[in-house]
Amino acid sequence: MSTTVETAIDVRPFHIEVPEEQLAELRRRITATRWPSKELVDDRSQGVQSATLQALARYWTTEYDWRQAEAKLNALPQFTTEIDGVEIHFIHVKSEHENALPLIMTHGWPGSVIEMLDSVGPLTDPTAHGGSAEDAFHLVLPSLPGYGLSGEPAEVGWDLARTARAWAELMHRLGYTRYVAQGGDVGAGVTDAMGRQAPEGLIGIHTNLLVPALGGTMPTNTDEERAAAAQIATFGQSGNGYFVEMATRPQTIGYALLDSPVALAAWMIDHDTDAYTKIAHAFVDGQPSGNLTRDHILDNITLYWLTGTSASAARSYWEAYGPDAPAAGNKPLPAPAIPFGFTTFPGEIWRTPRSWVEASYPNVTYFNEVDKGGHFAAWEEPELFATELRAAFKSLR
């Protein structure tokens, strides 16, 4: 089945090459960091621990090589195109397998396209990764507006719904007439919005974060449901400081993030308990969890630093969740009628019960619980993640 049409599109090839003086300045700023005294507790209840951040900083200045990340990006087809006044960066890898299914996959915060790179091979060339040719995807990986290599919005109003409309326009420009979408974290919000908007050509979506659970009351009739509700409550009481700050005062934290690379690193790795613990083990103990290696973690942080997009990325939370944003108070569109798939990973902020998924979406065609991986599932376990997407969208081929 054909999934493309010929269209007149304004899409330009993109190549990244950071001047050496910017890398030298980054190392200088890390070395010049003014460090606070050590935390007064033996856990992370006061925030990112000194031992973790100092180990990260040492590795960043003495062993880390940005050029490897740069080469990895430039080895893939990268492009930019202007949509609704913002220059959008995206990676577009077409599978060599016949009848591959187009897939647009959206990252979140504190992620970027960096977290998706190692899933490119398993998704576009499944035969080299234990899959079948009929499981292949044409893959589109956009950088969210104001994140990484995309341009910054120059006006308010770039909420999840507007980004979702931009992604539909992007897929149209690329000539895709039939496609699916996936997202986690902020990307889950964008993907959920795409499903509700039902643009022509979108035939199914998959997420690994249950968006409706962020803003609505979920059932608590079973032990599994009560456990998930308790995890969300704990996150709201002691784990969402970054969320509140960026949703209400993104400009305030932006000054520190643009001025100090160590402040940026601390802010980015203090996302959730599971991810933080794994990152700390990678730097302090030399024990990475799956693909969450020291180099991969710093690839992502360094991209934020070099592009200077930390404040604009923070503003996306104000747009999506802030009480003063134009979208505040907007009621969501009805739940999407197209097929919906969901995978729950054990290290996620909360472990979503199937009953919550079915209460949120009327057409659940795939649900699975896996035994490893966390909030950054595509990054930490790219092979497993690709396997989940192949299974989730199999019925739509």
Side-chain angles (χ1 to χ4, degrees):
M1 179 185 295
S2 173
T3 57
T4 63
V5 293
E6 293 298 321
T7 59
I9 53 177
D10 182 20
V11 174
R12 298 167 295 282
F14 180 85
H15 180 90
I16 180 172
E17 187 172 349
V18 175
E20 187 59 38
E21 53 265 30
Q22 290 189 25
L23 301 176
E25 172 65 6
L26 168 59
R27 290 188 289 268
R28 185 196 70 77
R29 283 177 174 264
I30 297 169
T31 303
T33 298
R34 294 179 62 190
W35 293 91
S37 57
K38 184 180 180 297
E39 63 278 359
L40 303 179
V41 293
D42 294 328
D43 54 27
R44 68 179 284 257
S45 61
Q46 290 189 344
V48 174
Q49 293 156 295
S50 178
T52 298
L53 204 56
Q54 294 207 25
L56 183 152
R58 282 194 300 271
Y59 189 85
W60 208 355
T61 54
T62 60
E63 297 185 55
Y64 174 71
D65 182 7
W66 162 256
R67 296 301 181 195
Q68 292 184 12
E70 197 173 70
K72 199 170 183 178
L73 282 165
N74 288 332
L76 296 170
Q78 298 180 88
F79 305 90
T80 61
T81 187
E82 184 179 314
I83 301 177
D84 200 7
V86 174
E87 197 75 11
I88 299 297
H89 163 269
F90 63 98
I91 295 169
H92 184 200
V93 183
K94 300 198 74 171
S95 175
E96 295 183 358
H97 295 293
E98 189 176 0
N99 296 326
L101 180 63
L103 164 64
I104 183 167
M105 195 156 74
T106 311
H107 67 85
W109 186 93
S112 67
V113 291
I114 292 287
E115 69 182 279
M116 309 290 191
L117 297 184
D118 287 313
S119 63
V120 171
L123 289 169
T124 61
D125 187 15
T127 57
H129 298 268
S132 303
E134 56 266 26
D135 293 329
F137 295 94
H138 297 312
L139 193 58
V140 180
L141 304 177
S143 296
L144 286 164
Y147 286 67
L149 298 168
S150 279
E152 294 187 14
E155 61 181 7
V156 298
W158 272 94
D159 57 4
L160 299 172
R162 188 168 177 178
T163 302
R165 290 191 293 272
W167 279 192
E169 171 61 21
L170 175 60
M171 296 303 277
H172 173 73
R173 288 189 189 184
L174 296 178
Y176 291 126
T177 59
R178 185 175 183 273
Y179 64 93
V180 294
Q182 143 67 29
D185 193 81
V186 174
V190 173
T191 302
D192 173 84
M194 289 183 74
R196 294 171 190 273
Q197 292 168 1
E200 185 177 359
L202 180 64
I203 61 171
I205 62 174
H206 176 278
T207 72
N208 50 287
L209 185 80
L210 192 68
V211 174
L214 288 172
T217 302
M218 293 287 113
T220 54
N221 300 316
T222 67
D223 289 344
E224 186 182 26
E225 291 173 345
R226 285 188 286 272
Q231 288 177 314
I232 294 177
T234 297
F235 176 71
Q237 292 163 2
S238 62
N240 70 340
Y242 75 91
F243 188 105
V244 172
E245 180 71 12
M246 295 199 300
T248 58
R249 295 293 186 271
Q251 191 71 15
T252 301
I253 190 61
Y255 296 112
L257 303 183
L258 269 290
D259 186 65
S260 167
V262 168
L264 172 64
W267 190 249
M268 291 177 69
I269 69 173
D270 196 17
H271 180 272
D272 66 275
T273 300
D274 179 75
Y276 171 79
T277 300
K278 291 168 178 174
I279 291 169
H281 280 314
F283 283 102
V284 177
D285 306 315
Q287 297 177 354
S289 175
N291 226 31
L292 282 178
T293 66
R294 293 180 297 182
D295 285 329
H296 288 161
I297 293 160
L298 286 173
D299 289 344
N300 186 55
I301 297 171
T302 305
L303 180 68
Y304 271 72
W305 176 263
L306 294 173
T307 56
T309 52
S310 303
S312 54
R315 290 185 204 119
S316 74
Y317 273 66
W318 183 89
E319 292 282 8
Y321 310 109
D324 300 317
N330 287 356
K331 293 184 178 180
L333 296 171
I338 59 174
F340 177 81
F342 189 86
T343 301
T344 183
F345 292 85
E348 186 52 273
I349 298 171
W350 71 89
R351 190 154 189 163
T352 299
R354 180 175 190 137
S355 58
W356 283 13
V357 177
E358 293 176 340
S360 302
Y361 296 93
N363 192 10
V364 178
T365 55
Y366 182 82
F367 176 88
N368 194 32
E369 295 184 49
V370 295
D371 60 1
K372 58 183 177 179
H375 187 76
F376 302 100
W379 198 4
E380 184 182 352
E381 300 289 345
E383 297 276 356
L384 173 61
F385 193 80
T387 298
E388 283 301 296
L389 293 192
R390 291 197 290 264
F393 292 125
K394 198 170 190 67
S395 64
L396 299 179
R397 292 181 181 275

